[in-house]
């Protein structure tokens, strides 16, 4: 449209609107006419299709015509204008038979491209299974319409090579301390660009990293370079972007950290060696014997742990000697190191003989041994760990140890030389052969010969006899070799006297002379003469006539009570070998002139000399005598002593051992926190029987060395018929002062004081509350419950139907009274056995044992020999009083009293 037309349109709006409507109408007419034009359409609709090589693709050709049934000969042509054939029809042929056996190969293959009608549509598809570069070009879809019109359309297929990883392992292992290229090689067409990332950050070329065409160079690899790296490839023309994740783990070459240059093993014994190595990954360790180039892990008697490198040999032989190579290998490399195994031979002693030598001369004991290396030989006395050192001994210059070695032959010898041998050198000696392979032992004996010796008999007492009793004189000579013994009397050999009262038994090294001293001449000195090849020795043995002891020189009263006197007796002089065996006292009232009715008592020499059962305020006469093996000596020390009047009892003695844990006074510790059993011995009653004891106990504390009692908490009790009392409801970890007094009709004794401390009880109780029954306790309770149930069932059977175990026991125990009386008379065992349960179920109860090892309580009573009613009458000697004499012996802890020998009318007065 020219300028005039434009001007006219602009100047005439009506004309402009008309022209626009005409244009729009014409466009609708064109579009409607185009829709009625027959044509072919290709999908996808782009005229140029880009696909990567190797991929599959499908192109669909569809007729767009008014009458689809008039379309014929629809087909595809390739880039060479060749018609693309449809997919050939294949007949199914089974590959496997009914039994599962392959009968043919599955050779069915589709052609590289083919056409196929799409089901339900009039479209013809072109299918390319594997696109190649050669398939690039223009493809045509043609058809005929209404038999006279040819329809045709085309599409251009262009190919490109996609990103392909050619050398990019996902796990790579650089070596510590070396340069390494993390490989990432990629192929694509067009050429791709490569960049690297680590932890999301892009890596750029620098001192540490260099981005190369074939990968990422890491200089001087360190353990810190471990990690995940990302190799990213991009093709800008196609917009393809692919990432490759590569795990980098730094390896280190193996290094042997421990292997001794020399190893020592002992023949016949197990052996273990260690070759340790470091590296990443953990290296595998091998042991190779160089002489045979054999991996010892495959040999007998050898075991190798490839992880720890420990080599074990069950039993070493000489053939195991040689050089071994330890090899450590991992994915980063291999390293080896050599060591030499020396086989040690355990020492063996092949020469050691007993030796005999004379006293004061040299004796040599030699020991020889084999081994490798040549063993060191030493000696020691049997039973002692102290060994003799090489050379002269510091503590005894008489003894020298000589040592000789022959390393080439593996032999050595040792000689123990003793100059001027003594009797003390006699005995067993142990030879010890020692090297690094072990120690061998052998024992030899050194015999030191010496002349007879009687030094062991010089301190023996004389031999005693009396009343013509035969006596044995023993002579034992110490000597090597054994000595022969000859007896002499008055300078003459006894064997020549032919005296029937002198009988010789044995001629050495022990000989006994049996003497029957029928006359005083036999109480004499006899000479024993011993002889061997080294000399002669003699000793005098004296036979003495024994006599009764001398009179007792003194006996003083040391302690007086109303009913007892304790004496201090001085022993008369005694002869060596004839000790005093007992002291005897006779005592009677001073108004009684007849000693034949006197009472007697005897004591052993080490016991307290106490006379008991006396009357208060009474004068007594006492005389004393000593006894030895011969008999009772003469009476001496005829003295008088009066007993004091009746009085309060003596102070009782508590039977507890205190623990000295207090500065001022000892303390008795109770084993319990809430109670304590006080026990004491019965004191002298001083003429009146003890009727009770008073026990007073008060808690208290010590402040500045002074005892302070809590008077308001004191408790006092009286105890009768017992010598013990259990204090209960005590406070734990508390001190108590206990006062104990004995009482009779006259009054109280002086108090015996005891400081007692209880143990802590709170912690113990808390611990007991926290205890949990163990499995053994639960089982014990269960078993006890079953036994109790059985007992109840058996008891019911006994009561109801008279059957069961208890019923059987009841029937056995039903005996006549006469039988029971006979058992009581004869002391039947049934009298002391634990009583059997009867049908009533009652059992005999016994008091529980005391936790302390103390004497049993003593029942209170009067004096065993004197009662108050007897004091008004003169002292009466009971019937057969001489047969009731007593002997008292003291063993250091307790006094034992028993009937003694008859003394009285027949005693020497």
């Amino acid at each position: 449209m020219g300028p005039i037309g434009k001007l006219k349109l602009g100047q005439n709006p009506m004309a402009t609107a008309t022209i626009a409507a005409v244009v729009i109408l014409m466009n609708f007419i064109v579009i409607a006419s185009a829709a009625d034009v027959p044509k072919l359409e290709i999908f996808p609709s782009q005229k140029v299709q880009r696909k990567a090589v190797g991929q599959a693709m499908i192109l669909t050709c569809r007729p767009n015509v008014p009458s689809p049934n008039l379309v014929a000969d629809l087909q595809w042509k390739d880039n060479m204008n060749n018609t693309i054939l449809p997919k050939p029809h294949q007949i199914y042929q089974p590959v496997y038979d009914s039994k599962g056996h392959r009968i043919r190969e599955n050779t069915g293959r589709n052609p590289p491209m083919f056409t196929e009608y799409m089901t339900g549509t009039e479209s013809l598809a072109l299918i390319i299974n594997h696109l190649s570069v050669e398939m690039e070009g223009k493809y045509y879809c043609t058809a005929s319409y209404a038999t006279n019109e040819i329809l045709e359309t085309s599409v251009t297929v262009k190919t490109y090579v996609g990103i392909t990883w050619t050398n990019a392992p996902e796990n790579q292992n650089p070596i510590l301390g070396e340069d390494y290229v993390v490989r990432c090689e990629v192929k694509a067409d067009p050429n791709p660009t490569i960049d690297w990332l680590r932890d999301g950050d892009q890596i750029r070329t620098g001192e540490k990293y260099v981005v190369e065409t074939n990968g990422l160079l890491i200089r001087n690899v360190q353990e810190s370079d471990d990690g995940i790296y990302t190799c990213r490839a991009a093709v800008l023309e196609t917009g393809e972007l692919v990432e490759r994740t590569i795990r980098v783990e730094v390896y280190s070459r193996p290094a042997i950290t421990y292997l001794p240059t020399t190893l020592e093993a002992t023949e016949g014994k197990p052996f273990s060696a260690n070759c340790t190595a470091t590296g990443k990954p953990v290296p595998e360790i091998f042991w190779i014997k160089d002489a045979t180039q054999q991996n010892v892990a495959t040999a007998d008697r050898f075991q190798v742990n490839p992880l720890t490198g420990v080599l074990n040999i069950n039993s070493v032989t000489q053939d195991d000697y040689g050089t071994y190579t330890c090899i450590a290998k991992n994915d980063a490399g291999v390293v080896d190191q050599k060591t030499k195994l020396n086989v040690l031979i355990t020492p063996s002693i092949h020469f050691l003989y007993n030796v005999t030598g004379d006293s004061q001369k040299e004796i040599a004991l030699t020991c020889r041994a084999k081994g490798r290396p040549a063993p060191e030989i030493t000696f020691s006395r049997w039973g002692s760990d102290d060994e003799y050192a090489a050379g002269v001994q510091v503590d005894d210059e008489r003894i020298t140890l000589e040592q000789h070695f022959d390393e080439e032959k593996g032999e050595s010898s040792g000689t123990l030389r003793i100059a001027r041998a003594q009797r003390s050198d006699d005995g067993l000696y142990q030879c010890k052969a020692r090297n690094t392979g072990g120690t061998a032992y052998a024992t030899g004996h050194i015999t030191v010969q010496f002349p007879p010796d009687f030094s062991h008999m010089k301190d023996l007492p004389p031999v005693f006899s009396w009343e013509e009793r035969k006596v044995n004189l023993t002579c034992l000579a110490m000597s090597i070799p054994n000595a022969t013994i000859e007896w002499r009397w008055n300078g003459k050999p006894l064997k020549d006297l032919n005296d029937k009262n002198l009988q010789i038994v044995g001629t050495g090294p022990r000989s006994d002379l049996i003497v029957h001293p029928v006359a005083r001449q036999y109480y004499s000195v006899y000479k024993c003469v011993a002889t061997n090849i080294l000399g002669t020795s003699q000793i005098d043995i004296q036979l003495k006539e024994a006599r009764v002891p001398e009179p007792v020189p003194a006996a003083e009263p040391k302690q007086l009570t109303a009913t007892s006197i304790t004496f201090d007796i001085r022993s008369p002089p005694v002869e060596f070998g004839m000790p005093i065996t007992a002291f005897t006292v006779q005592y009677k009232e001073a108004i009684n002139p007849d000693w034949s009715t006197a009472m007697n008592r005897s004591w052993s020499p080490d016991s307290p000399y106490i006379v008991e059962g006396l009357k208060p305020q009474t004068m007594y006469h006492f005389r004393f005598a000593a006894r030895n093996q011969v008999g009772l000596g003469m009476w001496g020390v005829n003295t008088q002593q009066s007993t004091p009047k009746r009085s309060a009892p003596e102070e009782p003695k508590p039977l507890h051992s205190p623990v000295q844990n207090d500065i001022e006074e000892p303390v008795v510790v109770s084993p319990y926190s809430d109670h304590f059993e006080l026990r004491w011995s019965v004191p002298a009653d001083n003429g009146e029987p003890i009727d009770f004891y008073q026990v007073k106990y008060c808690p208290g504390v010590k402040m500045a060395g002074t005892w302070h009692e809590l008077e308001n908490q004191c408790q006092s009790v009286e105890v009768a018929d017992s010598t013990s009392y259990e204090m209960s409801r005590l406070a734990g970890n508390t001190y108590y002062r206990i006062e104990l007094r004995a009482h009779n009709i006259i009054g109280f004794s002086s108090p015996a004081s005891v400081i007692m401390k209880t143990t802590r009880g709170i912690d113990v109780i808390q611990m007991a509350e926290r205890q949990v029954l163990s499995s053994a306790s639960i089982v014990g309770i269960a078993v006890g419950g079953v036994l109790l149930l059985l007992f109840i069932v058996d008891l019911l059977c006994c009561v109801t139907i008279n059957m069961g175990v208890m019923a059987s026991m009841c029937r056995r125990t039903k005996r006549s009274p006469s039988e029971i009386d006979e058992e009581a008379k004869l002391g039947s065992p049934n009298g002391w056995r634990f009583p059997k349960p009867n049908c009533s179920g009652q059992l005999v109860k016994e008091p529980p044992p005391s936790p302390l090892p103390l004497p049993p309580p003593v029942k209170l009573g009067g004096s065993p020999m004197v009662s108050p009613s007897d004091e008004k009458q003169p002292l009466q000697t009971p019937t057969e009083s001489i047969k009731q004499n007593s002997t008292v012996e003291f063993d250091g802890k307790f006094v034992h009293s028993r009937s003694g020998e008859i003394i009285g009318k027949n005693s020497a007065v």
Side-chain angles (χ1 to χ4, degrees):
M1 183 178 296
I4 298 175
K6 292 181 181 179
L7 180 60
K8 291 180 178 181
L9 289 173
Q11 294 176 353
N12 190 352
M14 182 63 71
T16 301
T18 303
I19 294 172
V22 171
V23 171
I24 293 172
L25 180 61
M26 291 178 65
N27 287 335
F28 276 110
I29 294 172
V30 171
I31 293 172
S33 62
D36 294 335
V37 175
K39 62 180 178 180
L40 296 176
E41 294 177 340
I42 295 177
F43 297 97
S45 60
Q46 291 84 357
K47 289 297 182 178
V48 178
Q49 298 289 329
R50 290 184 178 273
K51 289 292 180 181
V53 174
Q55 292 186 356
M57 68 178 299
I58 182 171
L59 298 173
T60 304
C61 181
R62 185 177 62 184
N64 185 0
V65 295
S67 301
N69 56 342
L70 297 179
V71 177
D73 198 15
L74 183 63
Q75 60 182 352
W76 278 92
K77 291 185 179 181
D78 61 14
N79 57 353
M80 301 297 292
N81 204 23
N82 295 320
T83 301
I84 301 173
L85 299 177
K87 179 180 179 181
H89 178 69
Q90 295 182 358
I91 300 175
Y92 171 75
Q93 294 181 355
V95 179
Y96 298 93
D97 61 11
S98 60
K99 296 183 179 181
H101 300 143
R102 181 181 290 273
I103 57 178
R104 70 179 185 85
E105 295 295 329
N106 188 7
T107 57
R109 307 180 80 183
N110 292 326
M113 64 176 67
F114 58 89
T115 61
E116 185 178 279
Y117 277 99
M118 303 300 292
T119 304
T121 66
E122 298 298 332
S123 302
L124 180 65
L126 171 62
I127 299 175
I128 301 176
N129 289 324
H130 189 82
L131 190 64
S132 62
V133 177
E134 293 78 11
M135 295 179 181
E136 187 178 56
K138 183 175 288 188
Y139 288 77
Y140 296 90
C141 177
T142 62
S144 62
Y145 180 70
T147 68
N148 57 358
E149 186 177 359
I150 301 300
L151 303 178
E152 182 182 89
T153 184
S154 65
V155 63
T156 301
V157 176
K158 288 191 175 182
T159 62
Y160 66 93
V161 178
I163 296 175
T164 304
W165 307 106
T166 59
N167 184 14
E170 293 182 347
N171 293 283
Q172 300 187 40
N173 306 107
I175 306 301
L176 181 68
E178 300 180 2
D179 293 348
Y180 182 78
V181 175
V182 182
R183 303 182 304 281
C184 182
E185 298 181 12
V186 63
K187 181 177 70 174
D189 185 17
N191 289 329
T193 60
I194 305 294
D195 63 344
W196 290 84
L197 296 92
R198 184 183 183 188
D199 299 331
D201 297 329
Q202 192 171 22
I203 299 176
R204 300 185 183 277
T205 298
E207 295 182 358
K208 181 68 176 178
Y209 302 103
V210 177
V211 179
E212 299 180 345
T213 57
N214 62 336
L216 176 66
L217 172 64
I218 304 177
R219 293 191 177 99
N220 189 19
V221 173
Q222 302 297 318
E223 291 184 357
S224 59
D225 294 324
D226 275 351
I228 303 297
Y229 291 76
T230 301
C231 176
R232 186 167 62 184
V235 179
L236 301 180
E237 291 83 350
T238 63
E240 187 178 12
L241 178 65
V242 180
E243 293 183 348
R244 182 78 161 185
T245 300
I246 299 175
R247 180 182 297 275
V248 174
E249 183 178 5
V250 178
Y251 281 1
S252 60
R253 298 186 185 277
I256 295 177
T257 57
Y258 175 81
L259 180 65
T261 57
T262 302
L263 300 173
E264 290 186 348
T266 303
E267 183 183 23
K269 293 184 178 181
F271 171 75
S272 179
N274 195 11
C275 175
T276 59
T278 59
K280 184 180 179 182
V282 176
E284 185 177 6
I285 298 178
F286 307 90
W287 284 80
I288 306 297
K289 186 175 183 180
D290 290 2
T292 60
Q293 287 300 306
Q294 180 186 16
N295 185 346
V296 298
T298 63
D300 294 338
R301 302 180 293 105
F302 286 76
Q303 295 89 33
V304 176
N305 189 324
L307 296 180
T308 62
V310 175
L311 167 68
N312 290 315
I313 305 177
N314 293 339
S315 179
V316 177
T317 66
Q318 276 285 11
D319 295 337
D320 298 332
Y321 170 85
T323 302
Y324 291 77
T325 300
C326 173
I327 300 175
K329 179 181 179 182
N330 68 3
D331 293 340
V334 180
V335 67
D336 63 73
Q337 188 171 325
K338 296 183 181 297
T339 183
K340 185 176 182 181
L341 176 62
N342 294 323
V343 178
L344 306 178
I345 301 176
T346 304
S348 61
I349 298 173
H350 61 89
F351 179 90
L352 180 63
Y353 295 104
N354 299 333
V355 295
T356 301
D358 295 342
S359 177
Q360 299 303 317
K361 294 184 179 180
E362 182 181 89
I363 298 177
L365 181 64
T366 300
C367 179
R368 296 190 180 97
K370 294 182 179 180
R372 190 173 299 280
E376 177 190 17
I377 293 182
T378 60
F379 289 87
S380 64
R381 290 296 294 263
W382 180 261
S384 173
D385 294 332
D386 297 333
E387 298 180 0
Y388 293 104
V392 180
Q393 306 307 300
V394 176
D395 55 348
D396 193 345
E397 62 181 8
R398 300 178 305 111
I399 302 176
T400 304
L401 175 59
E402 301 174 355
Q403 296 176 329
H404 301 280
F405 301 92
D406 188 339
E407 292 292 349
E408 183 176 352
K409 295 182 179 179
E411 296 181 352
S412 57
S413 64
T415 301
L416 187 67
R417 297 187 182 276
I418 304 177
R420 304 182 305 280
Q422 302 173 359
R423 287 180 56 186
S424 58
D425 298 323
D426 189 292
L428 292 172
Y429 289 78
Q430 190 173 58
C431 170
K432 301 179 182 179
R434 182 187 297 112
N435 67 6
T436 52
T439 305
Y441 302 89
T443 303
H445 190 276
I446 293 179
T447 302
V448 180
Q449 298 185 140
F450 59 93
D453 182 21
F454 290 110
S455 58
H456 62 287
M457 296 183 61
K458 289 183 178 179
D459 296 331
L460 296 179
V463 181
F464 293 91
S465 180
W466 61 94
E467 297 177 358
E468 299 184 4
R469 296 184 181 183
K470 289 184 179 182
V471 67
N472 184 16
L473 307 184
T474 300
C475 179
L476 177 61
M478 305 297 293
S479 65
I480 298 178
N482 288 335
T484 58
I485 292 179
E486 179 185 39
W487 289 92
R488 296 181 182 180
W489 186 31
N490 297 328
K492 297 180 182 180
L494 285 181
K495 63 182 180 179
D496 298 337
L497 297 181
N498 295 324
D499 191 337
K500 64 179 181 179
N501 295 318
L502 302 172
Q503 181 181 359
I504 299 175
V505 179
T507 59
R510 170 177 171 168
S511 180
D512 295 306
L513 175 61
I514 301 176
V515 181
H516 187 192
V518 296
R520 294 194 60 81
Q521 62 181 1
Y522 291 103
Y523 292 102
S524 179
V525 175
Y526 298 86
K527 189 178 296 294
C528 173
V529 181
T531 304
N532 69 1
I533 59 175
L534 298 179
T536 300
S537 182
Q538 60 185 18
I539 187 173
D540 292 338
I541 301 178
Q542 185 176 13
L543 176 61
K544 288 186 175 182
E545 184 177 7
R547 294 178 176 82
V548 296
E550 296 293 328
V552 174
E556 299 293 337
K558 185 173 62 174
Q559 183 178 358
L560 295 176
T561 71
T563 58
S564 65
I565 301 177
T566 301
F567 287 94
D568 186 6
I569 301 176
R570 189 193 309 170
S571 176
V574 296
E575 191 169 4
F576 182 49
M578 289 296 293
I580 299 297
T581 59
F583 289 102
T584 300
V585 63
Q586 278 192 334
Y587 58 97
K588 62 182 182 64
E589 292 186 25
I591 60 175
N592 180 16
D594 187 5
W595 280 102
S596 64
T597 61
M599 296 294 293
N600 301 275
R601 175 156 294 188
S602 295
W603 305 281
S604 61
D606 54 353
S607 66
Y609 310 130
I610 304 175
V611 179
E612 299 174 311
L614 304 178
K615 294 180 179 181
Q617 291 181 286
T618 304
M619 179 67 70
Y620 285 91
H621 283 187
F622 299 89
R623 60 180 183 178
F624 298 85
R627 176 182 291 277
N628 62 10
Q629 295 181 8
V630 180
L632 189 67
M634 294 183 296
W635 295 105
V637 195
N638 194 335
T639 183
Q640 294 185 3
Q641 180 63 48
S642 176
T643 56
K645 66 178 181 179
R646 302 183 192 89
S647 62
E650 296 295 315
E651 178 181 314
K653 303 296 182 185
L655 301 176
H656 296 278
S657 298
V659 178
Q660 188 71 34
N661 60 356
D662 191 276
I663 299 178
E664 285 78 13
E665 54 186 313
V667 175
V668 175
V669 178
S670 171
Y672 307 102
S673 62
D674 58 349
H675 66 278
F676 174 70
E677 185 181 18
L678 178 68
R679 308 194 72 177
W680 59 89
S681 61
V682 178
D685 58 12
N686 285 334
E688 290 292 343
I690 298 174
D691 49 8
F692 66 88
Y693 296 93
Q694 185 185 67
V695 179
K696 179 182 178 182
Y697 53 99
C698 304
V701 294
K702 271 191 174 182
M703 294 184 295
T706 303
W707 179 263
H708 297 274
E709 295 180 356
L710 304 178
E711 291 290 344
N712 58 340
Q713 299 184 22
C714 291
Q715 298 189 40
S716 180
V717 295
E718 294 182 357
V719 180
D721 299 331
S722 179
T723 56
S724 67
Y725 175 70
E726 182 173 295
M727 297 176 288
S728 59
R729 298 182 179 179
L730 304 180
N733 196 26
T734 305
Y735 286 91
Y736 286 84
R737 176 183 287 278
I738 305 172
E739 288 188 353
L740 174 66
R741 297 193 297 176
H743 180 271
N744 62 11
I745 195 173
I746 297 176
F748 284 99
S749 67
S750 58
S753 179
V754 175
I755 301 296
M756 183 271 296
K757 180 178 180 292
T758 56
T759 58
R760 295 181 61 180
I762 298 177
D763 295 344
V764 175
I765 295 174
Q766 291 177 349
M767 290 297 294
E769 291 176 352
R770 291 195 296 266
Q771 288 181 350
V772 180
L773 290 178
S774 64
S775 58
S777 302
I778 295 173
V779 172
I781 293 173
V783 173
V786 172
L787 294 178
L788 179 61
L789 180 61
L790 293 176
F791 176 79
I792 295 173
V793 171
D794 189 72
L795 180 61
L796 292 175
C797 293
C798 174
V799 174
T800 57
I801 60 176
N802 196 22
M803 293 183 66
V805 177
M806 297 182 63
S808 177
M809 296 174 63
C810 290
R811 287 192 293 270
R812 290 183 182 178
T813 55
K814 289 181 180 180
R815 298 186 299 274
S816 64
S818 60
E819 292 176 346
I820 298 176
D821 293 340
E822 288 299 325
E823 287 184 356
K825 294 177 181 179
L826 298 177
S828 171
N830 292 326
W832 57 267
R833 289 178 181 166
F834 188 84
K836 299 178 180 178
N838 53 30
C839 293
S840 64
Q842 296 179 353
L843 301 176
V844 176
K845 297 183 179 179
E846 295 183 358
S850 171
L852 300 178
L854 301 176
V858 179
K859 188 173 182 179
L860 291 178
S863 174
M865 300 185 64
V866 180
S867 63
S869 61
D870 294 333
E871 287 188 19
K872 300 179 181 180
Q873 302 296 329
L875 179 62
Q876 300 291 332
T877 302
T879 306
E880 299 179 355
S881 61
I882 297 179
K883 294 183 180 180
Q884 297 176 0
N885 297 323
S886 62
T887 300
V888 178
E889 295 182 357
F890 180 65
D891 59 5
K893 294 183 178 180
F894 302 101
V895 177
H896 306 278
S897 178
R898 61 173 181 266
S899 59
E901 188 175 344
I902 299 175
I903 304 173
K905 295 182 179 179
N906 297 330
S907 302
V909 179

